[in-house]
Amino acid sequence: MVVEISCEEVWREISKYLDGEISDEMRARMEEHFKGCKHCTAVLDGTRNVVQLVGDARAFELPAGFSNRLYLKLNRRLGKDR
Amino acid sequence: MSPVYEINVAKSKFRDAYNEGDLDGLLAVFADECTDMSAGAPSFFGADSKSVLRSRMTRLFEEFSATLIVTVIAIRVFANTAFDYGWHSLTLTPRDGGKPITTRQRYFETWQRNSKEEWKIDFYIDNVDVAPMMPGADLPIPLAFCPPDTQTQRDQKLARAM
């Protein structure tokens, strides 16, 4: 018997699921849940896309001096808020 | 075992009992005294509920084979009481070879942990699910508050009263 799992539990475990860091039992429960839950399947696909995007260095090729400008801008903003 | 896991196990037994046409297994998930407010059926309370459920499910399993897909959205536990809610997608295939019917209900139920430490459903209510739509595409009033079957029942009551 594959034991049910709630959407909330799926969301908590989704990152570990993608990283392959969950037990076989939990994987089976989540896969059974995805079959019937469009919402969680959408969350899974979205999370998978984000993980791939973040892991792809080409997508985040930043212009020269970006880090420095961002740092200065954040410092200015934080200074204003204080 | 955590209460959330225990309720998930009980809910899985409920699903499996449905899919295997196991009447006793299905009834075992319910408390001896429960409230049943299933959509499209009269409400039943206390000990009556279980006998009504037995007779209703006997007929259902005789006439149809059932495939139930449960999607639990969340489970909340407060000591010996808990509730969960989600969707039930039920496909009924007539045993005489007719066309299958599928309905998707959104349900809410409460659980009580009995003296044997078993979680049992003591309240159940559901209604027909409605497909997602954008907020701007809301159902026109009064349809959203008074669906057609309710309107028909009210109109019939009014007609009888007049």
Side-chain angles (χ1 to χ4, degrees):
Chain A
M1 175 177 71
V2 179
V3 176
E4 289 291 340
I5 187 167
S6 68
C7 298
E8 283 190 339
E9 290 171 90
V10 167
W11 301 335
R12 271 201 297 272
E13 300 293 332
I14 215 154
S15 171
K16 285 185 192 162
Y17 173 86
L18 286 169
D19 292 339
E21 290 172 356
I22 50 166
S23 66
D24 291 345
E25 194 221 353
M26 183 58 92
R27 176 168 292 277
R29 291 173 70 194
M30 289 175 76
E31 281 172 0
E32 201 58 32
H33 185 91
F34 291 130
K35 282 184 200 167
C37 186
K38 286 180 189 167
H39 299 265
C40 288
T41 306
V43 173
L44 175 68
D45 291 343
T47 311
R48 187 183 280 126
N49 287 342
V50 169
V51 169
Q52 276 173 359
L53 200 62
V54 171
D56 187 347
R58 287 169 305 173
F60 285 89
E61 220 167 81
L62 300 171
F66 176 86
S67 297
N68 199 31
R69 287 199 300 278
L70 177 66
Y71 178 77
L72 291 171
K73 198 167 185 179
L74 284 171
N75 251 351
R76 276 201 301 274
R77 172 60 62 89
L78 288 168
K80 263 186 202 170
D81 292 347
R82 275 182 202 134
Chain B
M1 212 188 290
S2 75
V4 168
Y5 189 83
E6 287 169 352
I7 289 168
N8 272 315
V9 170
K11 194 70 193 170
S12 308
K13 287 180 181 168
F14 169 87
R15 176 202 65 207
D16 288 354
Y18 238 102
N19 293 340
E20 289 158 15
D22 174 7
L23 183 63
D24 290 331
L26 183 71
L27 291 169
V29 183
F30 288 84
D32 289 337
E33 296 205 352
C34 53
T35 298
D36 180 5
M37 292 187 175
S38 295
S43 302
F44 287 97
F45 305 90
D48 284 348
S49 289
K50 221 163 170 180
S51 51
V52 170
L53 188 62
R54 176 178 285 280
S55 108
R56 197 188 288 165
M57 294 311 296
T58 302
R59 276 189 52 205
L60 184 109
F61 289 147
E62 274 171 8
E63 294 175 27
F64 300 91
S65 70
T67 306
L68 178 69
I69 298 171
V70 174
T71 305
V72 182
I73 298 174
I75 299 171
R76 297 274 188 277
V77 180
F78 309 90
N80 290 324
T81 302
F83 68 77
D84 77 307
Y85 56 94
W87 292 283
H88 286 160
S89 177
L90 178 66
T91 301
L92 296 174
T93 307
R95 294 197 186 275
D96 64 8
K99 210 173 161 188
I101 319 155
T102 299
T103 58
R104 190 171 154 90
Q105 308 283 113
R106 41 198 180 190
Y107 76 88
F108 176 90
E109 63 200 354
T110 62
W111 300 77
Q112 282 296 329
R113 186 156 45 189
N114 64 20
S115 55
K116 294 178 195 162
E117 301 285 298
E118 300 163 325
W119 287 98
K120 303 284 180 185
I121 298 167
D122 68 343
F123 174 85
Y124 179 87
I125 189 164
D126 65 10
N127 61 27
V128 178
D129 194 25
V130 178
M133 55 179 86
M134 296 301 284
D138 275 347
L139 292 169
I141 292 171
L143 199 64
F145 298 94
C146 200
D149 60 339
T150 318
Q151 277 180 329
T152 311
Q153 283 170 16
R154 192 192 54 194
D155 293 347
Q156 283 169 350
K157 272 185 196 163
L158 276 174
R160 275 199 298 273
M162 285 169 78

